[in-house]
Amino acid sequence: MKIYAEITGWGKCLPPAIMTNDDLATFLDTSDEWIRTRTGIEERRVSHVGTSHLATVAARNALAAADLDPNELDLIIVGTCTADEIIPNVASAVQRDIGAKYAAAFDLNAACSSFLYGMHYATQAIRTGVHKKVLIIGAERLTRILDWTQRESAVLFGDGAGAMVLEATTEEVGLLASHVTCDADARDVLALEFGMSFDRFGFDGIMPFNFVGQEIFKRAVKGMSLAVEKVFAETGLTTADIDSLIPHQANKRLIDFLAKMCHVPEEKTVINIQKYGNTSSATLPIAFCEAVEQGIVKPGDTIVSAVFGGGLTCGAGIIRWGQRVTPKRDNTMQLPSNGQSALDLILPLHLQTKAAWEKRGE
Ligand code: ACO
């Protein structure tokens, strides 16, 4: 009998502080008009807590939706490129904080593609019988690593987390086909040079963010198109079989391109980039969660997804939703505000980085 990996739980966590485009224009040479028309973004969230905290709230919401005892989890995967520490990983903090003491726990960094990468490998583990119940999370606190003097990249990103519970089933549901790739020739076009190769003795507060937007855009279109074609070929499905599109949210123009390619109308395409910007690995699970909450995903629907991110990693998947679209228990837990606005949280970072650039004479 064939085994599949059903999505039985879904949850998200968006920090409460909102940074609008107009807020950004108070300290960057940019405008609401430029950001809105080039990217589709209107506002994004800024977290006052660490990535593990965001991940834990999203995880608790997903477990509530599945009504699953954390002790039943075999594995926790956290997709992130903004781990609070290098060691230990974020997944171990989540394991401790949700009380999943029998679960293996690791982080996965494929930048914005991390969540789909996580679904790909978790689904394989369930389908081969290695694991039965897996929690996958995408969580990011990108606002801590951005260069807040660099308008080209600072306006694009935001913080958040999303999660899914996958459980073994004999119903033909979950990730039916997926394809993940990496176009490493372009690994430098999206790079944050801050890691073990970093000179900590010469650190002056600047974390150089290399970002070649147009090159990323071109390669993202090519990579996602190929990945989508692959998953259609693997399943034998066509665009006529697709009920909705849930893509990565990096640029509204990229989402429109995918919708056209997959023949999915606007009302069946999940778009939340205007509210959150690009939350990297958190984007996909937040979008899935909202698609279910808003009734875009219906019982038994077939969904196509496509992602890309630093690496340049890329991927696509075809997902069949199960029969349940309502959470078993309330899954709307949120982070409380600590009273700080988004500008309160970001302005000190902007001023510190600006002063460091001035000291360098650049
Ligand atoms: N505000 C105002 N002007 C700006 C801003 C800004 N925030 N950023 C750039 N500009 C200026 C540039 O300096 C340039 O000015 P110039 O013509 O005088 O030289 C002009 O706007 C046009 O810049 P482009 O880079 O050509 O703008 P483009 O239309 O390519 O849009 C963007 C840039 C939005 C980044 C686009 O290339 C893109 O979406 N790329 C792919 C998506 C992406 O990179 N996403 C994030 C990373 S991928 C991931 O998911 C991790």
Side-chain angles (χ1 to χ4, degrees), residues 29-30 34 38-39 112 151-152 155-157 190 211 213-214 216-217 248 250-251 253 278 308:
D29 181 16
T30 190
W34 192 96
R38 299 281 178 139
T39 70
C112 305
R151 67 179 182 175
E152 291 78 7
V155 303
L156 302 177
F157 299 96
L190 176 50
F211 184 84
Q214 287 190 357
I216 303 167
F217 197 102
H248 179 46
N251 188 313
R253 288 182 284 149
N278 179 351
F308 74 98

Side-chain angles (χ1 to χ4, degrees), residues 313-343:
T313 56
C314 198
I318 290 186
I319 296 110
R320 180 148 309 134
W321 201 262
Q323 288 306 308
R324 185 168 54 82
V325 288
T326 47
K328 285 190 176 168
R329 286 193 287 117
D330 177 32
N331 73 336
T332 54
M333 191 203 307
Q334 289 176 15
L335 272 179
S337 165
N338 73 345
Q340 283 183 291
S341 71
L343 278 174

Side-chain angles (χ1 to χ4, degrees), residues 24-281:
L24 285 171
T26 62
F27 64 92
L28 284 177
D29 181 16
T30 190
S31 65
D32 175 55
E33 205 264 333
W34 192 96
I35 303 170
R36 210 183 271 259
T37 53
R38 299 281 178 139
T39 70
I41 301 168
E42 294 170 19
E43 57 190 43
R44 69 286 295 141
R45 301 299 176 97
V46 179
S47 182
H48 58 285
V49 299
T51 301
S52 340
H53 201 148
L54 297 169
T56 300
V57 175
R60 288 209 170 107
N61 281 327
L63 288 164
D67 195 18
L68 185 71
D69 178 345
N71 282 321
E72 289 187 44
L73 286 172
D74 304 309
L75 173 65
I76 299 168
I77 303 174
V78 178
T80 187
C81 53
T82 50
D84 300 316
E85 298 100 7
I86 292 176
I87 305 169
N89 59 19
V90 174
S92 59
V94 175
Q95 198 244 37
R96 178 196 61 199
D97 294 342
I98 63 173
K101 48 179 181 292
Y102 306 110
F106 69 88
D107 291 1
L108 182 166
N109 181 357
C112 305
S113 309
S114 299
F115 196 84
L116 193 80
Y117 263 65
M119 282 181 87
H120 176 83
Y121 290 104
T123 298
Q124 295 310 319
I126 288 175
R127 291 187 73 164
T128 53
V130 173
H131 294 307
K132 287 196 169 50
K133 296 173 201 283
V134 179
L135 172 66
I136 317 172
I137 303 165
E140 303 284 6
R141 194 184 184 192
L142 293 155
T143 59
R144 293 299 282 186
I145 60 163
L146 293 174
D147 179 340
W148 285 102
T149 66
Q150 194 180 320
R151 67 179 182 175
E152 291 78 7
S153 49
V155 303
L156 302 177
F157 299 96
D159 299 333
M164 274 183 193
V165 174
L166 302 189
E167 296 188 57
T169 177
T170 51
E171 301 293 320
E172 192 182 356
V173 291
L175 191 62
L176 301 183
S178 49
H179 184 68
V180 288
T181 60
C182 182
D183 175 11
D185 287 345
R187 69 189 294 277
D188 295 330
V189 302
L190 176 50
L192 179 75
E193 295 157 20
F194 190 78
M196 296 308 280
S197 59
F198 192 74
D199 173 14
R200 65 192 170 121
F201 300 106
F203 183 54
D204 60 0
I206 295 172
M207 294 191 277
F209 195 78
N210 195 35
F211 184 84
V212 190
Q214 287 190 357
E215 188 61 23
I216 303 167
F217 197 102
K218 265 193 296 190
R219 291 192 184 242
V221 166
K222 194 168 155 213
M224 287 196 292
S225 308
L226 287 174
V228 167
E229 280 166 15
K230 277 257 188 204
V231 290
F232 275 126
E234 194 181 325
T235 51
L237 296 174
T238 69
T239 53
D241 301 304
I242 297 299
D243 297 299
S244 56
L245 166 67
I246 307 188
H248 179 46
Q249 313 272 317
N251 188 313
K252 170 75 166 52
R253 288 182 284 149
L254 278 170
I255 299 171
D256 293 343
F257 162 80
L258 277 172
K260 208 165 157 198
M261 178 187 175
C262 299
H263 302 289
V264 178
E266 175 122 0
E267 66 277 11
K268 300 297 278 177
T269 300
V270 177
I271 304 171
N272 61 15
I273 189 170
Q274 70 283 5
K275 295 190 288 184
Y276 309 131
N278 179 351
T279 57
S280 189
S281 63

